[in-house]
């Protein structure tokens, strides 16, 4: 197998998210994947603490950043890609099908002036099969939709950054009921990932710590194929789709989704300040149904329930 990168994960306790610094040990060049911008839902204040921790990690180790990357527009935390790209002087990137997600959510938020070709908000839009370098390591972009219509996996040597497809084996797989999501597409994306060599290291985008265990984010293809509670060897497409769709109908709306997506559609940038110099977020009232306190214990940080009318989408 191709030699692999050194990987350092940064866990965000508030959202259960994991960001990564992925470095070529031979050259000291690195990429940052899925950095998190802090957001306090009570005060609507943002902070850069985790992103600054990442920047300090890079500085202390003498690394040179070549890319700051999103795997998809996140629904459960704000992206710090724009902030770190500017702070570290590195280009930013995401999969080219982000345009489809922008179009869906520009309509939901009624943002007719939002450019939905992606190019204003990231420096590079990657197509399926694109390759680029991080030092001496080649990165391959693998389109892996299902959780969203735009999700990509970054394959770097013996490591794959699989975002919200697979979680740790005891947590299963990601939901596929957001607008643009598709459980059947998710199954096929995961099968493609699990066809990689069994020793391939898999780095997930979240860990919600079932049973209040310690946070974990690294597994292997071999472990997932044997132990994943939703999609291990022997689970067929129809069985998985039925399970995933039934499961998704019980899951709550992520508590930060309506705030996060209108920032993440812009590559992690806040909306343009208004005449008083303040940025504002819009909330689509009654668009997603009534709130409820009910939620499964393993569903991750949330406050309201995903409504049945939107459990399936047109895609």
């Amino acid at each position: 197998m191709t030699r692999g990168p050194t990987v350092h994960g940064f866990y965000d306790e508030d959202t259960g998210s994991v960001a990564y610094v992925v470095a070529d040990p031979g050259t000291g060049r690195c990429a940052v994947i899925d950095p998190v911008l802090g957001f306090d839902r009570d005060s609507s204040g943002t902070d850069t603490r985790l992103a600054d921790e990442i920047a300090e990690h890079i500085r202390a180790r003498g690394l040179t950043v070549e890319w700051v990357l999103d795997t998809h527009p996140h629904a459960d935390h704000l992206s710090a890609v724009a902030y770190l790209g500017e702070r570290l002087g590195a280009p930013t990137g995401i999969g080219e099908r982000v345009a489809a997600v922008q179009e869906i959510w520009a309509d939901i938020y009624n943002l007719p002036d939002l450019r939905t070709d992606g190019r204003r908000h990231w420096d590079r839009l990657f197509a399926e099969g694109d390759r680029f370098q991080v030092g001496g390591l080649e990165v391959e972009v693998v389109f892996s939709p299902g959780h969203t219509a735009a999700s990509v996996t970054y394959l770097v040597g013996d490591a794959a950054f699989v975002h919200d497809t697979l979680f740790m084996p005891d947590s299963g797989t990601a939901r596929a009921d957001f607008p643009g999501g598709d459980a059947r597409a998710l199954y096929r994306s995961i099968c493609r990932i699990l066809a990689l060599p069994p020793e391939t290291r898999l780095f997930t985008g979240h860990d919600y710590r079932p049973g209040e265990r310690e946070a974990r984010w690294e597994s292997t293809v071999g472990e997932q194929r044997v132990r994943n509670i939703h999609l291990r060897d022997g689970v067929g497409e129809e069985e998985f789709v039925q399970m995933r769709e039934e499961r998704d109908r019980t899951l709550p709306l992520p508590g930060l989704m309506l705030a996060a997506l209108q920032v993440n559609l812009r590559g992690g940038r806040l909306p343009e300040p208004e005449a008083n110099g303040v940025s504002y977020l819009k909330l689509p009232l009654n668009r997603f149904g009534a709130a409820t306190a009910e939620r499964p214990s393993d569903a991750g940080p949330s406050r309201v329930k995903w409504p049945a009318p939107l459990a399936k989408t047109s895609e």
Side-chain angles (χ1 to χ4, degrees), residues 263-298:
V263 172
N264 296 342
L265 296 177
R266 299 174 168 96
R269 295 174 179 84
L270 301 182
E272 287 293 322
E274 298 190 8
N276 62 354
V278 177
S279 295
Y280 291 87
L281 299 177
K282 299 176 68 174
L283 295 178
L285 298 178
N286 298 317
R287 178 64 176 81
F288 292 96
T292 173
E294 298 176 3
R295 69 184 187 91
S297 61
D298 63 341

PDB file of all heavy atoms in Angstrom, residues 263-298:
ATOM      1  N   VAL A 263     -24.158  29.633   6.671  1.00  0.00           N
ATOM      2  CA  VAL A 263     -22.742  30.012   6.733  1.00  0.00           C
ATOM      3  C   VAL A 263     -21.917  29.082   5.853  1.00  0.00           C
ATOM      4  O   VAL A 263     -21.067  29.517   5.072  1.00  0.00           O
ATOM      5  CB  VAL A 263     -22.240  29.984   8.187  1.00  0.00           C
ATOM      6  CG1 VAL A 263     -20.728  30.178   8.258  1.00  0.00           C
ATOM      7  CG2 VAL A 263     -22.961  31.048   9.016  1.00  0.00           C
ATOM      8  N   ASN A 264     -22.182  27.784   5.943  1.00  0.00           N
ATOM      9  CA  ASN A 264     -21.375  26.806   5.228  1.00  0.00           C
ATOM     10  C   ASN A 264     -21.613  26.814   3.727  1.00  0.00           C
ATOM     11  O   ASN A 264     -20.742  26.405   2.955  1.00  0.00           O
ATOM     12  CB  ASN A 264     -21.628  25.417   5.814  1.00  0.00           C
ATOM     13  CG  ASN A 264     -21.169  25.337   7.261  1.00  0.00           C
ATOM     14  OD1 ASN A 264     -20.391  26.165   7.719  1.00  0.00           O
ATOM     15  ND2 ASN A 264     -21.659  24.344   7.984  1.00  0.00           N
ATOM     16  N   LEU A 265     -22.776  27.281   3.282  1.00  0.00           N
ATOM     17  CA  LEU A 265     -22.997  27.463   1.849  1.00  0.00           C
ATOM     18  C   LEU A 265     -22.058  28.516   1.277  1.00  0.00           C
ATOM     19  O   LEU A 265     -21.831  28.562   0.065  1.00  0.00           O
ATOM     20  CB  LEU A 265     -24.446  27.898   1.581  1.00  0.00           C
ATOM     21  CG  LEU A 265     -25.562  26.923   1.949  1.00  0.00           C
ATOM     22  CD1 LEU A 265     -26.906  27.554   1.689  1.00  0.00           C
ATOM     23  CD2 LEU A 265     -25.415  25.624   1.182  1.00  0.00           C
ATOM     24  N   ARG A 266     -21.529  29.355   2.152  1.00  0.00           N
ATOM     25  CA  ARG A 266     -20.601  30.420   1.754  1.00  0.00           C
ATOM     26  C   ARG A 266     -19.156  30.042   2.088  1.00  0.00           C
ATOM     27  O   ARG A 266     -18.308  30.913   2.240  1.00  0.00           O
ATOM     28  CB  ARG A 266     -20.977  31.720   2.453  1.00  0.00           C
ATOM     29  CG  ARG A 266     -22.380  32.259   2.121  1.00  0.00           C
ATOM     30  CD  ARG A 266     -22.714  33.474   2.984  1.00  0.00           C
ATOM     31  NE  ARG A 266     -23.890  34.197   2.536  1.00  0.00           N
ATOM     32  CZ  ARG A 266     -25.114  34.034   3.007  1.00  0.00           C
ATOM     33  NH1 ARG A 266     -25.339  33.125   3.963  1.00  0.00           N
ATOM     34  NH2 ARG A 266     -26.123  34.747   2.533  1.00  0.00           N
ATOM     35  N   GLY A 267     -18.894  28.775   2.256  1.00  0.00           N
ATOM     36  CA  GLY A 267     -17.539  28.332   2.548  1.00  0.00           C
ATOM     37  C   GLY A 267     -17.065  28.692   3.941  1.00  0.00           C
ATOM     38  O   GLY A 267     -15.862  28.767   4.186  1.00  0.00           O
ATOM     39  N   GLY A 268     -18.003  28.904   4.871  1.00  0.00           N
ATOM     40  CA  GLY A 268     -17.650  29.256   6.239  1.00  0.00           C
ATOM     41  C   GLY A 268     -17.641  30.744   6.499  1.00  0.00           C
ATOM     42  O   GLY A 268     -17.211  31.184   7.571  1.00  0.00           O
ATOM     43  N   ARG A 269     -18.145  31.531   5.558  1.00  0.00           N
ATOM     44  CA  ARG A 269     -18.204  32.984   5.747  1.00  0.00           C
ATOM     45  C   ARG A 269     -19.568  33.388   6.287  1.00  0.00           C
ATOM     46  O   ARG A 269     -20.598  32.856   5.853  1.00  0.00           O
ATOM     47  CB  ARG A 269     -17.947  33.727   4.433  1.00  0.00           C
ATOM     48  CG  ARG A 269     -16.533  33.524   3.892  1.00  0.00           C
ATOM     49  CD  ARG A 269     -16.373  34.160   2.526  1.00  0.00           C
ATOM     50  NE  ARG A 269     -15.021  33.980   2.031  1.00  0.00           N
ATOM     51  CZ  ARG A 269     -14.584  32.886   1.404  1.00  0.00           C
ATOM     52  NH1 ARG A 269     -15.416  31.875   1.215  1.00  0.00           N
ATOM     53  NH2 ARG A 269     -13.336  32.803   0.986  1.00  0.00           N
ATOM     54  N   LEU A 270     -19.581  34.349   7.184  1.00  0.00           N
ATOM     55  CA  LEU A 270     -20.844  34.886   7.660  1.00  0.00           C
ATOM     56  C   LEU A 270     -21.517  35.678   6.539  1.00  0.00           C
ATOM     57  O   LEU A 270     -20.846  36.163   5.625  1.00  0.00           O
ATOM     58  CB  LEU A 270     -20.609  35.799   8.865  1.00  0.00           C
ATOM     59  CG  LEU A 270     -19.932  35.168  10.090  1.00  0.00           C
ATOM     60  CD1 LEU A 270     -19.824  36.203  11.210  1.00  0.00           C
ATOM     61  CD2 LEU A 270     -20.667  33.934  10.568  1.00  0.00           C
ATOM     62  N   PRO A 271     -22.835  35.807   6.578  1.00  0.00           N
ATOM     63  CA  PRO A 271     -23.500  36.663   5.596  1.00  0.00           C
ATOM     64  C   PRO A 271     -22.926  38.081   5.615  1.00  0.00           C
ATOM     65  O   PRO A 271     -22.409  38.539   6.631  1.00  0.00           O
ATOM     66  CB  PRO A 271     -24.961  36.649   6.067  1.00  0.00           C
ATOM     67  CG  PRO A 271     -25.103  35.373   6.826  1.00  0.00           C
ATOM     68  CD  PRO A 271     -23.785  35.160   7.511  1.00  0.00           C
ATOM     69  N   GLU A 272     -23.021  38.749   4.485  1.00  0.00           N
ATOM     70  CA  GLU A 272     -22.502  40.109   4.393  1.00  0.00           C
ATOM     71  C   GLU A 272     -23.147  40.993   5.463  1.00  0.00           C
ATOM     72  O   GLU A 272     -24.361  40.942   5.672  1.00  0.00           O
ATOM     73  CB  GLU A 272     -22.788  40.699   3.015  1.00  0.00           C
ATOM     74  CG  GLU A 272     -21.933  40.119   1.904  1.00  0.00           C
ATOM     75  CD  GLU A 272     -20.471  40.488   2.065  1.00  0.00           C
ATOM     76  OE1 GLU A 272     -20.189  41.635   2.482  1.00  0.00           O
ATOM     77  OE2 GLU A 272     -19.609  39.636   1.794  1.00  0.00           O
ATOM     78  N   PRO A 273     -22.341  41.810   6.171  1.00  0.00           N
ATOM     79  CA  PRO A 273     -22.924  42.712   7.169  1.00  0.00           C
ATOM     80  C   PRO A 273     -23.932  43.661   6.532  1.00  0.00           C
ATOM     81  O   PRO A 273     -23.785  44.068   5.368  1.00  0.00           O
ATOM     82  CB  PRO A 273     -21.706  43.474   7.707  1.00  0.00           C
ATOM     83  CG  PRO A 273     -20.532  42.614   7.378  1.00  0.00           C
ATOM     84  CD  PRO A 273     -20.879  41.924   6.101  1.00  0.00           C
ATOM     85  N   GLU A 274     -24.933  43.991   7.305  1.00  0.00           N
ATOM     86  CA  GLU A 274     -25.927  44.959   6.834  1.00  0.00           C
ATOM     87  C   GLU A 274     -25.443  46.372   7.130  1.00  0.00           C
ATOM     88  O   GLU A 274     -24.293  46.580   7.524  1.00  0.00           O
ATOM     89  CB  GLU A 274     -27.281  44.637   7.474  1.00  0.00           C
ATOM     90  CG  GLU A 274     -27.769  43.247   7.055  1.00  0.00           C
ATOM     91  CD  GLU A 274     -29.203  42.958   7.444  1.00  0.00           C
ATOM     92  OE1 GLU A 274     -29.919  43.882   7.919  1.00  0.00           O
ATOM     93  OE2 GLU A 274     -29.622  41.796   7.267  1.00  0.00           O
ATOM     94  N   ALA A 275     -26.302  47.370   6.919  1.00  0.00           N
ATOM     95  CA  ALA A 275     -25.879  48.778   6.998  1.00  0.00           C
ATOM     96  C   ALA A 275     -25.306  49.143   8.357  1.00  0.00           C
ATOM     97  O   ALA A 275     -24.469  50.047   8.463  1.00  0.00           O
ATOM     98  CB  ALA A 275     -27.065  49.688   6.658  1.00  0.00           C
ATOM     99  N   ASN A 276     -25.729  48.427   9.400  1.00  0.00           N
ATOM    100  CA  ASN A 276     -25.222  48.721  10.748  1.00  0.00           C
ATOM    101  C   ASN A 276     -23.951  47.957  11.082  1.00  0.00           C
ATOM    102  O   ASN A 276     -23.483  47.976  12.222  1.00  0.00           O
ATOM    103  CB  ASN A 276     -26.301  48.423  11.790  1.00  0.00           C
ATOM    104  CG  ASN A 276     -26.705  46.957  11.813  1.00  0.00           C
ATOM    105  OD1 ASN A 276     -26.258  46.166  10.977  1.00  0.00           O
ATOM    106  ND2 ASN A 276     -27.564  46.593  12.761  1.00  0.00           N
ATOM    107  N   GLY A 277     -23.398  47.233  10.111  1.00  0.00           N
ATOM    108  CA  GLY A 277     -22.153  46.510  10.323  1.00  0.00           C
ATOM    109  C   GLY A 277     -22.309  45.135  10.948  1.00  0.00           C
ATOM    110  O   GLY A 277     -21.306  44.477  11.245  1.00  0.00           O
ATOM    111  N   VAL A 278     -23.532  44.661  11.145  1.00  0.00           N
ATOM    112  CA  VAL A 278     -23.799  43.388  11.800  1.00  0.00           C
ATOM    113  C   VAL A 278     -24.282  42.370  10.771  1.00  0.00           C
ATOM    114  O   VAL A 278     -25.095  42.697   9.901  1.00  0.00           O
ATOM    115  CB  VAL A 278     -24.856  43.549  12.916  1.00  0.00           C
ATOM    116  CG1 VAL A 278     -25.188  42.203  13.564  1.00  0.00           C
ATOM    117  CG2 VAL A 278     -24.366  44.541  13.965  1.00  0.00           C
ATOM    118  N   SER A 279     -23.784  41.119  10.862  1.00  0.00           N
ATOM    119  CA  SER A 279     -24.274  40.027  10.030  1.00  0.00           C
ATOM    120  C   SER A 279     -25.474  39.383  10.702  1.00  0.00           C
ATOM    121  O   SER A 279     -25.524  39.258  11.937  1.00  0.00           O
ATOM    122  CB  SER A 279     -23.179  38.971   9.825  1.00  0.00           C
ATOM    123  OG  SER A 279     -22.101  39.498   9.094  1.00  0.00           O
ATOM    124  N   TYR A 280     -26.436  38.940   9.897  1.00  0.00           N
ATOM    125  CA  TYR A 280     -27.646  38.324  10.413  1.00  0.00           C
ATOM    126  C   TYR A 280     -27.886  36.972   9.751  1.00  0.00           C
ATOM    127  O   TYR A 280     -27.599  36.787   8.564  1.00  0.00           O
ATOM    128  CB  TYR A 280     -28.861  39.231  10.164  1.00  0.00           C
ATOM    129  CG  TYR A 280     -28.842  40.494  10.990  1.00  0.00           C
ATOM    130  CD1 TYR A 280     -28.172  41.632  10.540  1.00  0.00           C
ATOM    131  CD2 TYR A 280     -29.478  40.550  12.233  1.00  0.00           C
ATOM    132  CE1 TYR A 280     -28.142  42.791  11.302  1.00  0.00           C
ATOM    133  CE2 TYR A 280     -29.456  41.711  12.996  1.00  0.00           C
ATOM    134  CZ  TYR A 280     -28.778  42.829  12.529  1.00  0.00           C
ATOM    135  OH  TYR A 280     -28.748  43.977  13.285  1.00  0.00           O
ATOM    136  N   LEU A 281     -28.423  36.034  10.534  1.00  0.00           N
ATOM    137  CA  LEU A 281     -28.863  34.746  10.024  1.00  0.00           C
ATOM    138  C   LEU A 281     -30.376  34.743   9.896  1.00  0.00           C
ATOM    139  O   LEU A 281     -31.083  35.354  10.710  1.00  0.00           O
ATOM    140  CB  LEU A 281     -28.428  33.618  10.958  1.00  0.00           C
ATOM    141  CG  LEU A 281     -26.926  33.443  11.162  1.00  0.00           C
ATOM    142  CD1 LEU A 281     -26.662  32.340  12.178  1.00  0.00           C
ATOM    143  CD2 LEU A 281     -26.221  33.139   9.852  1.00  0.00           C
ATOM    144  N   LYS A 282     -30.874  34.047   8.869  1.00  0.00           N
ATOM    145  CA  LYS A 282     -32.313  33.938   8.652  1.00  0.00           C
ATOM    146  C   LYS A 282     -32.803  32.585   9.152  1.00  0.00           C
ATOM    147  O   LYS A 282     -32.108  31.573   9.012  1.00  0.00           O
ATOM    148  CB  LYS A 282     -32.634  34.066   7.166  1.00  0.00           C
ATOM    149  CG  LYS A 282     -32.237  35.382   6.553  1.00  0.00           C
ATOM    150  CD  LYS A 282     -32.491  35.395   5.045  1.00  0.00           C
ATOM    151  CE  LYS A 282     -33.962  35.362   4.727  1.00  0.00           C
ATOM    152  NZ  LYS A 282     -34.206  35.523   3.264  1.00  0.00           N
ATOM    153  N   LEU A 283     -33.998  32.561   9.714  1.00  0.00           N
ATOM    154  CA  LEU A 283     -34.619  31.309  10.135  1.00  0.00           C
ATOM    155  C   LEU A 283     -35.921  31.124   9.374  1.00  0.00           C
ATOM    156  O   LEU A 283     -36.813  31.977   9.457  1.00  0.00           O
ATOM    157  CB  LEU A 283     -34.898  31.326  11.639  1.00  0.00           C
ATOM    158  CG  LEU A 283     -33.679  31.386  12.558  1.00  0.00           C
ATOM    159  CD1 LEU A 283     -34.121  31.447  14.006  1.00  0.00           C
ATOM    160  CD2 LEU A 283     -32.779  30.188  12.336  1.00  0.00           C
ATOM    161  N   PRO A 284     -36.082  30.049   8.617  1.00  0.00           N
ATOM    162  CA  PRO A 284     -37.320  29.812   7.877  1.00  0.00           C
ATOM    163  C   PRO A 284     -38.407  29.280   8.819  1.00  0.00           C
ATOM    164  O   PRO A 284     -38.480  28.078   9.109  1.00  0.00           O
ATOM    165  CB  PRO A 284     -36.905  28.774   6.830  1.00  0.00           C
ATOM    166  CG  PRO A 284     -35.758  28.051   7.444  1.00  0.00           C
ATOM    167  CD  PRO A 284     -35.055  29.031   8.332  1.00  0.00           C
ATOM    168  N   LEU A 285     -39.236  30.151   9.313  1.00  0.00           N
ATOM    169  CA  LEU A 285     -40.237  29.772  10.312  1.00  0.00           C
ATOM    170  C   LEU A 285     -41.232  28.766   9.736  1.00  0.00           C
ATOM    171  O   LEU A 285     -41.737  28.918   8.630  1.00  0.00           O
ATOM    172  CB  LEU A 285     -40.976  31.007  10.813  1.00  0.00           C
ATOM    173  CG  LEU A 285     -40.119  32.054  11.533  1.00  0.00           C
ATOM    174  CD1 LEU A 285     -40.956  33.259  11.944  1.00  0.00           C
ATOM    175  CD2 LEU A 285     -39.431  31.445  12.746  1.00  0.00           C
ATOM    176  N   ASN A 286     -41.488  27.730  10.531  1.00  0.00           N
ATOM    177  CA  ASN A 286     -42.469  26.687  10.215  1.00  0.00           C
ATOM    178  C   ASN A 286     -42.116  25.883   8.952  1.00  0.00           C
ATOM    179  O   ASN A 286     -42.946  25.124   8.463  1.00  0.00           O
ATOM    180  CB  ASN A 286     -43.880  27.275  10.068  1.00  0.00           C
ATOM    181  CG  ASN A 286     -44.354  27.921  11.353  1.00  0.00           C
ATOM    182  OD1 ASN A 286     -44.170  27.376  12.438  1.00  0.00           O
ATOM    183  ND2 ASN A 286     -44.941  29.105  11.239  1.00  0.00           N
ATOM    184  N   ARG A 287     -40.914  26.018   8.468  1.00  0.00           N
ATOM    185  CA  ARG A 287     -40.512  25.274   7.274  1.00  0.00           C
ATOM    186  C   ARG A 287     -40.187  23.817   7.622  1.00  0.00           C
ATOM    187  O   ARG A 287     -40.317  22.940   6.775  1.00  0.00           O
ATOM    188  CB  ARG A 287     -39.288  25.944   6.644  1.00  0.00           C
ATOM    189  CG  ARG A 287     -38.728  25.261   5.412  1.00  0.00           C
ATOM    190  CD  ARG A 287     -39.736  25.279   4.266  1.00  0.00           C
ATOM    191  NE  ARG A 287     -39.162  24.705   3.048  1.00  0.00           N
ATOM    192  CZ  ARG A 287     -39.070  23.403   2.780  1.00  0.00           C
ATOM    193  NH1 ARG A 287     -39.502  22.522   3.680  1.00  0.00           N
ATOM    194  NH2 ARG A 287     -38.565  22.979   1.647  1.00  0.00           N
ATOM    195  N   PHE A 288     -39.780  23.568   8.840  1.00  0.00           N
ATOM    196  CA  PHE A 288     -39.346  22.232   9.226  1.00  0.00           C
ATOM    197  C   PHE A 288     -40.198  21.624  10.329  1.00  0.00           C
ATOM    198  O   PHE A 288     -39.775  20.704  11.001  1.00  0.00           O
ATOM    199  CB  PHE A 288     -37.878  22.271   9.653  1.00  0.00           C
ATOM    200  CG  PHE A 288     -36.954  22.566   8.514  1.00  0.00           C
ATOM    201  CD1 PHE A 288     -36.512  23.855   8.285  1.00  0.00           C
ATOM    202  CD2 PHE A 288     -36.563  21.562   7.655  1.00  0.00           C
ATOM    203  CE1 PHE A 288     -35.675  24.131   7.224  1.00  0.00           C
ATOM    204  CE2 PHE A 288     -35.723  21.828   6.592  1.00  0.00           C
ATOM    205  CZ  PHE A 288     -35.283  23.116   6.373  1.00  0.00           C
ATOM    206  N   GLY A 289     -41.396  22.113  10.557  1.00  0.00           N
ATOM    207  CA  GLY A 289     -42.288  21.493  11.509  1.00  0.00           C
ATOM    208  C   GLY A 289     -42.092  21.985  12.924  1.00  0.00           C
ATOM    209  O   GLY A 289     -41.230  22.807  13.219  1.00  0.00           O
ATOM    210  N   ALA A 290     -42.905  21.461  13.821  1.00  0.00           N
ATOM    211  CA  ALA A 290     -42.892  21.899  15.208  1.00  0.00           C
ATOM    212  C   ALA A 290     -41.766  21.248  15.981  1.00  0.00           C
ATOM    213  O   ALA A 290     -41.347  20.131  15.692  1.00  0.00           O
ATOM    214  CB  ALA A 290     -44.233  21.579  15.874  1.00  0.00           C
ATOM    215  N   ALA A 291     -41.279  21.948  16.999  1.00  0.00           N
ATOM    216  CA  ALA A 291     -40.200  21.426  17.832  1.00  0.00           C
ATOM    217  C   ALA A 291     -40.731  20.405  18.825  1.00  0.00           C
ATOM    218  O   ALA A 291     -41.872  20.461  19.255  1.00  0.00           O
ATOM    219  CB  ALA A 291     -39.532  22.567  18.585  1.00  0.00           C
ATOM    220  N   THR A 292     -39.875  19.465  19.212  1.00  0.00           N
ATOM    221  CA  THR A 292     -40.189  18.505  20.255  1.00  0.00           C
ATOM    222  C   THR A 292     -38.921  18.172  21.002  1.00  0.00           C
ATOM    223  O   THR A 292     -37.827  18.232  20.443  1.00  0.00           O
ATOM    224  CB  THR A 292     -40.811  17.219  19.681  1.00  0.00           C
ATOM    225  OG1 THR A 292     -40.949  16.268  20.743  1.00  0.00           O
ATOM    226  CG2 THR A 292     -39.946  16.616  18.589  1.00  0.00           C
ATOM    227  N   ALA A 293     -39.038  17.826  22.247  1.00  0.00           N
ATOM    228  CA  ALA A 293     -37.849  17.495  23.044  1.00  0.00           C
ATOM    229  C   ALA A 293     -37.403  16.057  22.838  1.00  0.00           C
ATOM    230  O   ALA A 293     -36.366  15.655  23.317  1.00  0.00           O
ATOM    231  CB  ALA A 293     -38.143  17.742  24.528  1.00  0.00           C
ATOM    232  N   GLU A 294     -38.206  15.238  22.137  1.00  0.00           N
ATOM    233  CA  GLU A 294     -37.888  13.823  21.999  1.00  0.00           C
ATOM    234  C   GLU A 294     -36.740  13.626  21.022  1.00  0.00           C
ATOM    235  O   GLU A 294     -36.712  14.207  19.956  1.00  0.00           O
ATOM    236  CB  GLU A 294     -39.113  13.065  21.488  1.00  0.00           C
ATOM    237  CG  GLU A 294     -40.301  13.127  22.437  1.00  0.00           C
ATOM    238  CD  GLU A 294     -41.511  12.446  21.851  1.00  0.00           C
ATOM    239  OE1 GLU A 294     -41.384  11.877  20.741  1.00  0.00           O
ATOM    240  OE2 GLU A 294     -42.562  12.480  22.481  1.00  0.00           O
ATOM    241  N   ARG A 295     -35.793  12.741  21.379  1.00  0.00           N
ATOM    242  CA  ARG A 295     -34.727  12.386  20.454  1.00  0.00           C
ATOM    243  C   ARG A 295     -34.013  11.144  20.954  1.00  0.00           C
ATOM    244  O   ARG A 295     -33.910  10.925  22.156  1.00  0.00           O
ATOM    245  CB  ARG A 295     -33.715  13.514  20.270  1.00  0.00           C
ATOM    246  CG  ARG A 295     -32.852  13.810  21.478  1.00  0.00           C
ATOM    247  CD  ARG A 295     -31.968  15.012  21.179  1.00  0.00           C
ATOM    248  NE  ARG A 295     -30.999  15.249  22.237  1.00  0.00           N
ATOM    249  CZ  ARG A 295     -29.769  14.740  22.261  1.00  0.00           C
ATOM    250  NH1 ARG A 295     -29.369  13.958  21.291  1.00  0.00           N
ATOM    251  NH2 ARG A 295     -28.949  15.013  23.248  1.00  0.00           N
ATOM    252  N   PRO A 296     -33.524  10.322  20.049  1.00  0.00           N
ATOM    253  CA  PRO A 296     -32.731   9.161  20.472  1.00  0.00           C
ATOM    254  C   PRO A 296     -31.441   9.608  21.130  1.00  0.00           C
ATOM    255  O   PRO A 296     -30.884  10.659  20.801  1.00  0.00           O
ATOM    256  CB  PRO A 296     -32.460   8.427  19.144  1.00  0.00           C
ATOM    257  CG  PRO A 296     -33.484   8.943  18.188  1.00  0.00           C
ATOM    258  CD  PRO A 296     -33.756  10.344  18.628  1.00  0.00           C
ATOM    259  N   SER A 297     -30.930   8.804  22.036  1.00  0.00           N
ATOM    260  CA  SER A 297     -29.755   9.201  22.805  1.00  0.00           C
ATOM    261  C   SER A 297     -28.490   9.234  21.976  1.00  0.00           C
ATOM    262  O   SER A 297     -27.520   9.872  22.362  1.00  0.00           O
ATOM    263  CB  SER A 297     -29.552   8.234  23.979  1.00  0.00           C
ATOM    264  OG  SER A 297     -29.339   6.913  23.500  1.00  0.00           O
ATOM    265  N   ASP A 298     -28.473   8.552  20.810  1.00  0.00           N
ATOM    266  CA  ASP A 298     -27.258   8.498  20.007  1.00  0.00           C
ATOM    267  C   ASP A 298     -27.327   9.382  18.774  1.00  0.00           C
ATOM    268  O   ASP A 298     -26.557   9.221  17.847  1.00  0.00           O
ATOM    269  CB  ASP A 298     -26.965   7.060  19.572  1.00  0.00           C
ATOM    270  CG  ASP A 298     -28.059   6.483  18.684  1.00  0.00           C
ATOM    271  OD1 ASP A 298     -29.174   7.032  18.699  1.00  0.00           O
ATOM    272  OD2 ASP A 298     -27.795   5.504  17.970  1.00  0.00           O
TER     273      ASP A 298
END
